[in-house]
Amino acid sequence: MNKITKIKGFADLFPPESTVYVQMEETARQVFSAYGCNEVRIPIVEKTELFARTIGGETDIVQKEMYTFQDRKGRSLTLRPEATAGMVRAFIESGPSQGSIAKYFTLGPMFRYERPQKGRMRQFHQIDVEFFGPTTPQADGELILMLWHYLTALKLDNFHLEINSLGCPKCRPQFKQKLLSFLQHIDESKLCADCKRRKQTNPLRVLDCKVSTCKEMVASAPKIIDSLCLECQKHFKDVLAILDKAGLNYTLNHLLVRGLDYYQRTTFEIIAENPNIGSQSAIAGGGRYDGLVKNLGGPDIPGLGFACGMERIALLLDKQNNFKQDFFLAVLSDKALNQAILLAQKLRNKGFKGEVSFEAKSLKSQLRYAHKKEVKTCLILGEDELSSGVIQAKNMETGLQQTIALEDIEQALGINF
Ligand code: HAM
């Protein structure tokens, strides 16, 4: 029979790889709740129109990376390529009142039809945070500090923050004009095929193209921060002042426009410098998206957020062995099997973690399994032990084996002789 294999760009996660995902998720819950930011769960599938209207019809994501399909009623649906669109939709449907502040996070799989490589998957996972309501630069500051807090709590190091401001609908059109006239005067043959298209449809995106010839062409492009209106200038200056006061280092990146059209004012990315991560070094990205809630039919409530890429962070974390167990209960005779199951259950009820053998096999193979699982103590139950009401306890580190009375097991496991 043919084996059915998984789809390219999709991964199965087993322990110990999966333990780092658990660690990322639990740390997120812990750190974010200290900021009043709590978890929400939203669907993985949304109406296609939501993404086109949120992310932008001319973005790479919407143009070529979405998993879009028709359901049985002929409706066009899409597997979410990111979480902000769904979070904003859900927020609007929750009936927010003007002036209130809401801070949410969500986590789970996202889907983008990109070329799979290290740190880039077609199904990947994000931890996504959205703050709804605040207008002040202090909120941008706190959002970035919270992200920093999170990454530090994961014990990551060697990463830095890049930041930019994309202005607002008042000042960005002027910048776009300046950029267009700059782009009209460059040698178009040196632009990649995507940028030739972007030049017409979404010129800002030419700025952060990763193709080296495009990078060279835009090195001398006008800077958006030189075109900001007074309000946007002040907002950006105040965000940077908070980061300065908090002692958080950053790099101004004038080419950081991000791949989603909803951003206004502050945009940022966290870049990992660890060589393990390869070329996909952006481990988180986000920014402010005032106007988006309104554009999706909600009240005029501003928003800002970020998302961390879990696959990329996983490349930087040590795999934890969270599954270390206190005991393995080896069984040497069929008669002892039932007794062993009940004994293991008793120990688990007392708070010990452990497994029990489901069949009476050779002691050697059971000890090999206990060793592989890195258990502290292997308990051994055979017919002799059963008839005398004792058990053997073998310390797997020292190799020391003792016969102990059944009622002393807890103590033996606790003090780990
Ligand atoms: P994004 O920059 O598209 O932003 O994605 C955020 C992070 O997800 C990236 O920095 C990267 O670490 C990870 N990521 C993206 N694509 C892939 C992939 N194919 N494979 C593995 N990891 C990937 C957003 O998604 C925005 N929704 C963030 C946001 C929230 N802005 C405001 N609120």
Coordinates of all heavy atoms in Angstrom, one line a residue, residues 61 81-85 112 114 119-126 128-130 258-260 262-263 269-270 280 282-289 304-312, ligand 1:
I61 N 0.9 38.7 -0.2 CA 0.1 37.7 0.6 C -1.2 37.4 -0.2 O -1.6 36.3 -0.5 CB -0.2 38.1 2.0 CG1 1.1 38.2 2.8 CG2 -1.2 37.2 2.7 CD1 0.9 38.6 4.3
P81 N -3.9 33.8 6.6 CA -2.5 33.9 6.4 C -1.9 34.7 7.5 O -0.6 34.8 7.7 CB -2.4 34.8 5.1 CG -3.7 35.5 5.0 CD -4.7 34.7 5.7
E82 N -2.7 35.3 8.4 CA -2.2 36.1 9.5 C -3.4 36.3 10.4 O -4.6 36.0 10.0 CB -1.6 37.4 9.1 CG -2.5 38.3 8.3 CD -3.1 39.5 9.1 OE1 -2.3 40.3 9.6 OE2 -4.3 39.7 9.1
A83 N -3.2 36.8 11.6 CA -4.4 36.8 12.6 C -5.0 38.2 12.7 O -6.1 38.3 13.2 CB -3.9 36.3 14.0
T84 N -4.3 39.3 12.3 CA -4.9 40.6 12.6 C -6.3 40.8 12.0 O -7.2 41.3 12.6 CB -3.9 41.7 12.1 OG1 -2.6 41.4 12.6 CG2 -4.3 43.1 12.6
A85 N -6.4 40.3 10.7 CA -7.7 40.5 10.1 C -8.9 39.9 10.9 O -9.9 40.5 11.1 CB -7.7 39.9 8.7
R112 N 0.5 30.3 4.5 CA 0.9 31.1 3.4 C 1.6 30.2 2.4 O 2.5 29.5 2.7 CB 1.8 32.3 3.8 CG 1.2 33.3 4.7 CD 2.2 34.5 5.0 NE 1.6 35.2 6.1 CZ 2.2 36.2 6.7 NH1 3.4 36.6 6.3 NH2 1.7 36.9 7.7
E114 N 4.1 30.1 0.5 CA 5.4 30.6 0.2 C 6.4 29.5 -0.1 O 6.1 28.3 0.1 CB 6.0 31.4 1.4 CG 5.2 32.6 1.8 CD 5.9 33.5 2.8 OE1 5.7 33.2 4.0 OE2 6.6 34.4 2.4
G119 N 12.8 28.2 8.6 CA 12.2 29.4 9.1 C 11.0 29.9 8.3 O 10.5 31.0 8.6
R120 N 10.7 29.2 7.2 CA 9.6 29.7 6.4 C 8.8 28.4 6.0 O 9.3 27.6 5.2 CB 10.0 30.4 5.2 CG 8.8 31.1 4.5 CD 9.2 31.4 3.1 NE 9.7 32.7 2.9 CZ 10.3 33.2 1.8 NH1 10.5 32.3 0.8 NH2 10.8 34.4 1.7
M121 N 7.5 28.3 6.5 CA 6.7 27.2 6.2 C 5.4 27.6 5.6 O 5.1 28.8 5.6 CB 6.4 26.5 7.6 CG 7.6 25.9 8.3 SD 8.3 24.6 7.4 CE 7.1 23.3 7.6
R122 N 4.7 26.7 5.0 CA 3.4 27.0 4.5 C 2.3 27.0 5.6 O 1.4 27.8 5.6 CB 3.0 26.1 3.3 CG 3.9 26.4 2.1 CD 3.7 25.6 0.9 NE 4.5 26.1 -0.2 CZ 4.7 25.5 -1.3 NH1 4.2 24.3 -1.5 NH2 5.4 26.0 -2.2
Q123 N 2.5 26.1 6.5 CA 1.7 26.2 7.8 C 2.7 26.6 8.8 O 3.7 25.9 9.1 CB 1.0 24.9 8.2 CG 0.3 25.1 9.5 CD -0.5 23.9 10.0 OE1 -1.0 23.1 9.2 NE2 -0.5 23.7 11.3
F124 N 2.5 27.8 9.4 CA 3.4 28.2 10.5 C 2.5 28.7 11.7 O 1.3 28.8 11.5 CB 4.4 29.3 10.0 CG 3.7 30.5 9.5 CD1 3.6 31.6 10.3 CD2 3.2 30.5 8.2 CE1 3.0 32.8 9.8 CE2 2.5 31.7 7.7 CZ 2.5 32.8 8.5
H125 N 3.2 29.0 12.8 CA 2.4 29.4 14.0 C 2.8 30.8 14.4 O 4.0 31.1 14.4 CB 2.6 28.4 15.1 CG 2.1 27.0 14.7 ND1 2.9 26.2 13.9 CD2 1.0 26.4 15.0 CE1 2.2 25.1 13.7 NE2 1.1 25.1 14.4
Q126 N 1.8 31.5 14.8 CA 2.1 32.9 15.3 C 1.5 33.1 16.7 O 0.5 32.4 17.1 CB 1.5 34.0 14.5 CG 2.2 34.3 13.2 CD 1.6 35.5 12.4 OE1 0.5 35.9 12.7 NE2 2.3 36.0 11.5
D128 N 0.0 36.2 18.4 CA -0.5 37.5 17.8 C -1.1 38.3 18.9 O -2.0 37.9 19.6 CB -1.5 37.3 16.7 CG -2.0 38.5 16.1 OD1 -3.0 39.1 16.6 OD2 -1.4 39.0 15.1
V129 N -0.7 39.6 19.0 CA -1.2 40.5 20.1 C -1.9 41.7 19.4 O -1.3 42.2 18.4 CB 0.0 41.0 20.9 CG1 -0.5 42.1 21.9 CG2 0.5 39.8 21.7
E130 N -3.0 42.1 19.9 CA -3.6 43.3 19.3 C -4.1 44.2 20.5 O -4.8 43.6 21.4 CB -4.8 43.0 18.4 CG -4.6 41.9 17.3 CD -3.6 42.3 16.3 OE1 -3.2 43.5 16.2 OE2 -3.1 41.4 15.5
R258 N 6.9 46.8 5.8 CA 6.1 45.6 6.1 C 5.3 45.2 4.9 O 5.0 46.0 4.0 CB 5.3 45.8 7.4 CG 6.1 46.5 8.5 CD 6.5 45.6 9.6 NE 5.4 44.8 10.1 CZ 5.4 43.4 10.0 NH1 6.4 42.8 9.6 NH2 4.4 42.7 10.5
G259 N 4.9 43.9 4.9 CA 4.2 43.3 3.8 C 2.7 43.4 3.8 O 2.0 42.7 3.1
L260 N 2.2 44.2 4.7 CA 0.7 44.3 4.9 C 0.3 45.8 4.8 O 1.0 46.6 5.3 CB 0.3 43.7 6.2 CG 0.8 42.3 6.5 CD1 1.9 42.3 7.6 CD2 -0.3 41.3 6.8
Y262 N -2.1 47.6 6.0 CA -2.9 48.3 7.0 C -2.2 49.2 7.9 O -2.7 49.9 8.7 CB -3.8 47.3 7.8 CG -3.1 46.1 8.4 CD1 -2.1 46.1 9.3 CD2 -3.6 44.8 7.9 CE1 -1.6 45.0 9.9 CE2 -3.0 43.6 8.5 CZ -2.0 43.7 9.4 OH -1.5 42.6 9.9
Y263 N -0.8 49.2 7.9 CA -0.1 50.0 8.9 C -0.1 51.5 8.7 O -0.1 52.0 7.5 CB 1.4 49.5 8.9 CG 1.5 48.1 9.4 CD1 1.9 47.1 8.6 CD2 1.2 47.8 10.8 CE1 2.0 45.8 9.1 CE2 1.4 46.5 11.3 CZ 1.8 45.5 10.4 OH 1.9 44.2 10.9
E269 N 10.1 45.6 13.6 CA 10.4 44.2 13.5 C 11.5 43.8 14.5 O 12.3 44.7 14.9 CB 10.9 43.8 12.1 CG 9.7 43.6 11.1 CD 10.1 43.2 9.7 OE1 11.3 43.1 9.4 OE2 9.2 43.0 8.9
I270 N 11.5 42.6 15.0 CA 12.6 42.1 15.8 C 13.4 41.2 14.9 O 12.9 40.2 14.3 CB 12.1 41.3 17.0 CG1 11.2 42.2 17.9 CG2 13.2 40.7 17.8 CD1 11.9 43.2 18.8
Q280 N 15.8 33.8 7.3 CA 14.5 34.3 7.7 C 14.7 34.8 9.1 O 14.3 34.1 10.1 CB 13.5 33.2 7.6 CG 13.3 32.7 6.2 CD 12.9 33.7 5.2 OE1 12.1 34.6 5.4 NE2 13.6 33.7 4.1
A282 N 13.6 37.7 10.7 CA 12.5 38.5 11.4 C 11.7 37.5 12.3 O 11.0 36.7 11.8 CB 11.7 39.2 10.4
I283 N 11.9 37.7 13.6 CA 11.1 36.7 14.5 C 9.8 37.3 15.0 O 8.9 36.6 15.5 CB 12.0 36.3 15.7 CG1 12.5 37.4 16.5 CG2 13.1 35.4 15.3 CD1 13.2 37.0 17.8
A284 N 9.6 38.6 14.8 CA 8.3 39.3 15.1 C 8.2 40.6 14.3 O 9.2 41.2 13.9 CB 8.3 39.6 16.6
G285 N 7.0 41.0 14.1 CA 6.8 42.2 13.4 C 5.4 42.8 13.7 O 4.5 42.0 14.1
G286 N 5.3 44.1 13.6 CA 4.0 44.7 13.9 C 4.0 46.2 13.7 O 4.9 46.7 13.1
G287 N 2.9 46.8 14.3 CA 2.8 48.2 14.2 C 1.4 48.7 14.4 O 0.5 47.9 14.9
R288 N 1.2 50.0 14.1 CA -0.1 50.6 14.4 C -1.0 50.6 13.2 O -0.4 50.7 12.0 CB 0.2 52.1 14.8 CG -1.0 52.8 15.3 CD -0.6 54.2 15.9 NE -0.4 54.1 17.4 CZ -1.5 54.0 18.2 NH1 -2.7 54.1 17.8 NH2 -1.3 54.0 19.5
Y289 N -2.3 50.3 13.3 CA -3.1 50.3 12.1 C -4.4 51.1 12.4 O -5.5 50.6 12.1 CB -3.4 48.8 11.7 CG -3.9 47.9 12.9 CD1 -5.2 47.9 13.3 CD2 -3.0 47.1 13.5 CE1 -5.6 47.1 14.4 CE2 -3.3 46.2 14.5 CZ -4.6 46.3 15.0 OH -5.0 45.5 16.0
L304 N -3.3 48.6 17.3 CA -1.8 48.3 17.1 C -1.5 46.9 17.6 O -2.3 46.4 18.5 CB -1.0 49.3 17.8 CG -1.0 49.5 19.3 CD1 0.2 50.2 19.8 CD2 -2.2 50.3 19.7
G305 N -0.5 46.3 17.1 CA -0.2 44.9 17.5 C 1.1 44.4 16.9 O 1.8 45.1 16.2
F306 N 1.3 43.1 17.2 CA 2.5 42.4 16.6 C 2.2 41.0 16.5 O 1.3 40.5 17.2 CB 3.8 42.7 17.4 CG 3.8 42.1 18.8 CD1 4.0 40.8 19.0 CD2 3.6 43.0 19.9 CE1 4.0 40.3 20.3 CE2 3.6 42.5 21.2 CZ 3.8 41.1 21.4
A307 N 3.0 40.3 15.8 CA 2.9 38.8 15.8 C 4.4 38.2 15.8 O 5.3 38.8 15.2 CB 2.2 38.3 14.6
C308 N 4.5 37.2 16.7 CA 5.8 36.5 16.7 C 5.7 35.2 15.9 O 4.7 34.5 15.9 CB 6.1 36.0 18.1 SG 6.3 37.3 19.3
G309 N 6.8 34.9 15.1 CA 6.8 33.7 14.3 C 7.4 32.6 15.2 O 8.5 32.6 15.5
M310 N 6.5 31.6 15.5 CA 6.9 30.6 16.5 C 8.0 29.6 15.9 O 8.9 29.2 16.6 CB 5.7 29.8 17.0 CG 4.8 30.7 17.8 SD 3.3 29.8 18.4 CE 3.9 28.7 19.6
E311 N 7.9 29.3 14.6 CA 8.9 28.4 14.0 C 10.3 29.0 14.1 O 11.3 28.3 14.3 CB 8.6 28.2 12.5 CG 7.6 27.0 12.2 CD 6.2 27.3 12.8 OE1 5.9 28.5 13.0 OE2 5.4 26.4 12.9
R312 N 10.3 30.4 13.8 CA 11.7 31.0 13.9 C 12.2 31.1 15.3 O 13.4 30.9 15.5 CB 11.5 32.4 13.2 CG 11.2 32.3 11.8 CD 11.2 33.6 11.0 NE 10.5 33.3 9.7 CZ 10.3 34.3 8.9 NH1 10.6 35.5 9.1 NH2 9.7 34.0 7.7
Ligands
HAM1 P1 4.2 39.4 9.6 O1 5.4 40.2 9.6 O2 3.6 39.0 8.2 O3 3.1 40.2 10.4 O4 4.4 38.0 10.4 C1 4.9 38.1 11.7 C2 5.9 37.0 11.9 O5 5.4 35.7 11.5 C3 7.2 37.2 11.0 O6 8.1 38.1 11.6 C4 7.7 35.8 11.0 O7 8.5 35.6 12.2 C5 6.5 34.9 11.0 N1 6.2 34.4 9.7 C6 5.6 35.0 8.7 N2 5.5 34.2 7.6 C7 6.1 33.0 8.0 C8 6.3 31.8 7.3 N3 5.8 31.5 6.1 N4 6.9 30.8 8.0 C9 7.3 31.0 9.3 N5 7.1 32.1 10.0 C10 6.5 33.2 9.3 C11 1.8 39.8 10.6 O8 1.4 38.7 10.3 C12 1.0 40.8 11.2 N6 -0.4 40.3 11.3 C13 1.5 41.2 12.6 C14 0.7 42.2 13.3 C15 -0.2 42.0 14.3 N7 0.6 43.5 13.0 C16 -0.3 44.1 13.8 N8 -0.8 43.2 14.6

